[in-house]
Amino acid sequence: MSLRRRTLLKVIVVGDSGVGKTSLMNQYVHKKFSQQYKATIGSDFVTKELQIDDRLVTLQIWDTAGQERFQSLGVAFYRGADCCVLVYDVNVMRSFDTLDNWHEEFLKQANPPDPSSFPFILLGNKIDIDGGNSRVVSEKKAREWCAAKGNIPYFETSAKEDHNVDAAFLSIARTAMANE
Ligand code: GTP
Ligand code: MG
């Protein structure tokens, strides 16, 4: 099969501090997980190449800081984004409650031509903790939120156990591609 087209997709990952944004990216790109928490300061991106249908796709994944004092991104940073990945921790209610904010703030900053159809995807991370016994946000509740926001795709993930991480990012790439 010939790879007729190359595509660069810009993906931005947002969500509360500590939900596992950096860990999900590290697992996806480097197949590595660290128990140790090191807050992201500012922002940085990693890239991953993948083949989708007849296209060679470069995913440019921008990690952002959840801690407010480390958020120093200008509006220009969000411009040209093809997809926004929202992440929360299924064991922390506050990280779910702030999703509305992250969603709204992203649209305000990125200012896409058609906000109502801009592609988002939601990841509920850390489903491994305590075998799921300490989760406080049900899958049903998360899916209802996604439905209310115009059918945002939803994945439950564990960066630690590499559960659903590849599937989630493949879906992210496809979602971003649809917007490109
Ligand atoms: P900021 O950079 O501050 O915004 O945080 P972040 O969202 O990037 O979180 P990070 O990836 O640094 O993870 C925070 C902590 O949670 C670290 O100690 C990780 O080891 C841990 N962690 C991340 N993902 C998982 C997971 O799926 N399961 C478990 N058990 N721990 C996780
Ligand atoms: Mg981080």
Side-chain angles (χ1 to χ4, degrees):
M1 182 169 44
S2 68
L3 299 170
R4 282 185 284 114
R5 303 173 68 185
R6 279 171 175 272
T7 310
L8 176 71
L9 299 173
K10 183 175 177 181
V11 168
I12 300 185
V13 186
V14 302
D16 275 9
S17 176
V19 297
K21 299 179 296 297
T22 302
S23 301
L24 284 161
M25 289 179 36
N26 279 338
Q27 183 58 268
Y28 179 58
V29 176
H30 306 298
K31 292 282 161 224
K32 278 190 185 132
F33 176 79
S34 164
Q35 220 40 271
Q36 222 171 356
Y37 170 54
K38 196 166 157 272
T40 301
I41 295 173
S43 69
D44 205 357
F45 72 85
V46 292
T47 60
K48 170 109 170 172
E49 306 242 307
L50 65 168
Q51 192 183 326
I52 297 181
D53 306 328
D54 67 341
R55 288 214 221 177
L56 196 58
V57 173
T58 303
L59 262 192
Q60 187 184 71
I61 312 167
W62 286 84
D63 192 13
T64 66
Q67 282 191 50
E68 212 155 338
R69 64 198 167 115
F70 294 143
Q71 288 166 12
S72 55
L73 307 174
V75 168
F77 166 82
Y78 293 96
R79 291 273 157 81
D82 297 295
C83 179
C84 175
V85 182
L86 302 159
V87 185
Y88 79 99
D89 177 344
V90 301
N91 309 282
V92 180
M93 188 53 83
R94 197 192 136 75
S95 72
F96 180 76
D97 290 338
T98 54
L99 287 175
D100 275 323
N101 255 321
W102 287 111
H103 182 263
E104 197 179 313
E105 199 52 37
F106 177 84
L107 286 176
K108 209 185 279 176
Q109 301 284 340
N111 195 23
D114 182 9
S116 64
S117 71
F118 186 86
F120 286 89
I121 188 161
L122 177 65
L123 309 185
N125 191 39
K126 304 199 192 184
I127 59 162
D128 62 280
I129 291 184
D130 205 11
N133 286 318
S134 67
R135 72 180 289 164
V136 291
V137 182
S138 67
E139 182 172 348
K140 182 166 175 276
K141 192 168 169 173
R143 289 197 184 277
E144 279 166 6
W145 188 86
C146 288
K149 295 289 177 201
N151 288 323
I152 293 178
Y154 179 60
F155 287 85
E156 302 219 313
T157 58
S158 166
K160 183 180 180 184
E161 296 187 347
D162 197 11
H163 176 83
N164 242 356
V165 177
D166 277 9
F169 277 96
L170 182 61
S171 175
I172 288 161
R174 286 193 178 276
T175 303
M177 220 160 79
N179 186 49
E180 193 244 355

